[in-house]
Amino acid sequence: MPNRVVFMGTPEFAVPSFEALVGRYEVAGVFTQPDRTAGRGRRLSESPVKKAAVARGIPVFQPEKLSEPASFARLSELAPDFIVVAAYGRILRNDVLALPPHGCVNVHPSLLPRHRGASPVAGAILAGDTVTGVTIMVMDEGTDTGPILSQEQMPVLPDDTTGTLTARLAASGANLLIRTLPSYLEGTMKPQPQEDSRATYTKATTKEDAHLDWALPAKDLWLRVRGYNPWPGAFALWNGKRLKVLEAVPVPKLRVHAGEVVELPPAAPARIGVGAGEDSMLGLRRVQLEGKNETAAEEFVRGYRDFVGAMLG
């Protein structure tokens, strides 16, 4: 059976799939994004996949572009029977897709064709989906359009954030990958084409996407708080600074203006509320003011007495 594989992935989501391959197949090499500067010190940071590969003693390659002749030559020299891709962050050209005899297999964190594109996990939360999942597919030249090998559903919990849901989907995707590959590589599993008419698309998230608009209903704001956690972090403006809303919950509304901060009674599911659209209110549970540590909303109010009664932008 085909055994030699190249793995392509970058973030934490990809690590379980990479580690599941090690020991089961001959991992000839790992392709991941180049080291990037991160944090306040702007130090170079290695991707989670690179760290995992180095710990395993597996060769790591970090080309800026796979389209560079030298990068493609290096990949060709590894002679993979198949390639596994999980959140690599690069579009694979046709020559890469055609290189391995058994194609390129992708681990995608949604139930395709729903939530194709750059932000499928956040997309599921932002859409209010109660169920999502993972898909193992054979890649083609389109964006997440390749035929499906297998899928596994997973509930979206009411307190899920993109961070917590991604972690669960990463483990599920790795398990499904390992269960799927033997039948696929033996030729006993036939890929099934996607129903393009059912497709939905997500785009890359920007920091400004996370700016809360208090004219929206509290439920929509609640989905944004969860969908943009941990990055970039849903936020409002207060006294010229960004106030991240890290945890929130819709609560019954008092008669206040959209964006107005009020104190809520002890029986409410949050102690601090902000007026929202359609006669609704978002309760704040955890917040973080720009340049400060995160804190419970009620603790934040004790430190900033003028917060209650303020209007958030």
Side-chain angles (χ1 to χ4, degrees):
M1 187 175 74
N3 185 58
R4 190 170 171 86
V5 60
V6 164
F7 183 81
M8 296 181 175
T10 299
E12 197 66 44
F13 169 80
V15 173
S17 291
F18 161 71
E19 293 187 334
L21 293 169
V22 177
R24 291 182 172 90
Y25 299 93
E26 180 189 352
V27 183
V30 166
F31 280 69
T32 189
Q33 297 246 0
D35 298 348
R36 307 293 188 193
T37 55
R40 293 180 181 178
R42 308 308 295 166
R43 295 179 178 178
L44 277 179
S45 177
E46 298 176 339
S47 77
V49 165
K50 179 181 179 179
K51 292 177 182 177
V54 169
R56 298 276 192 168
I58 295 173
V60 175
F61 306 95
Q62 298 177 272
E64 280 289 349
K65 297 180 180 179
L66 269 178
S67 58
E68 297 168 351
S71 301
F72 184 75
R74 188 172 291 118
L75 177 60
S76 300
E77 290 168 2
L78 295 174
D81 295 317
F82 63 105
I83 292 173
V84 171
V85 181
Y88 178 37
R90 288 282 186 267
I91 300 295
L92 303 192
R93 297 191 333 175
N94 286 345
D95 54 355
V96 175
L97 295 173
L99 175 66
H102 293 269
C104 300
V105 175
N106 180 244
V107 183
H108 183 83
S110 82
L111 296 175
L112 291 172
R114 186 162 178 79
H115 302 312
R116 293 173 176 173
S119 307
V121 183
I125 292 177
L126 293 171
D129 293 353
T130 57
V131 176
T132 187
V134 288
T135 299
I136 309 299
M137 70 171 187
V138 180
M139 298 177 71
D140 62 13
E141 64 276 8
T143 301
D144 303 325
T145 56
I148 292 171
L149 293 170
S150 58
Q151 292 185 313
E152 187 165 84
Q153 292 189 354
M154 175 174 290
V156 180
L157 305 178
D159 60 348
D160 262 329
T161 64
T162 291
T164 62
L165 185 55
T166 297
R168 297 210 317 279
L169 289 169
S172 176
N175 290 332
L176 186 61
L177 174 69
I178 295 308
R179 298 201 308 268
T180 301
L181 281 176
S183 297
Y184 168 64
L185 296 173
E186 290 167 2
T188 59
M189 177 181 286
K190 184 179 179 182
Q192 299 298 313
Q194 295 187 36
E195 296 181 41
D196 289 339
S197 61
R198 296 176 46 238
T200 64
Y201 292 87
T202 64
K203 64 180 182 66
T205 301
T206 69
K207 290 184 177 180
E208 282 307 309
D209 289 334
H211 191 170
L212 296 174
D213 179 358
W214 298 104
L216 294 173
K219 181 180 178 182
D220 289 355
L221 296 172
W222 174 59
L223 295 176
R224 281 163 170 73
V225 169
R226 293 164 53 212
Y228 296 130
N229 184 339
W231 192 91
F235 71 94
L237 296 178
W238 179 60
N239 285 349
K241 292 186 176 181
R242 290 193 178 203
L243 178 72
K244 283 189 177 181
V245 181
L246 304 175
E247 186 180 345
V249 60
V251 298
K253 184 180 180 182
L254 304 176
R255 290 189 174 277
V256 297
H257 299 290
E260 183 179 353
V261 180
V262 298
E263 196 163 4
L264 299 176
R271 297 306 306 276
I272 304 300
V274 183
E278 295 186 8
D279 220 23
S280 62
M281 175 171 283
L282 187 71
L284 307 186
R285 285 181 168 169
R286 296 197 67 80
V287 297
Q288 182 178 16
L289 188 62
E290 187 177 328
K292 304 293 183 179
N293 294 327
E294 68 172 85
T295 183
E298 53 266 36
E299 291 293 331
F300 181 81
V301 169
R302 292 191 187 101
Y304 297 93
R305 297 289 184 178
D306 57 340
F307 186 61
V308 173
M311 295 294 294
L312 301 186

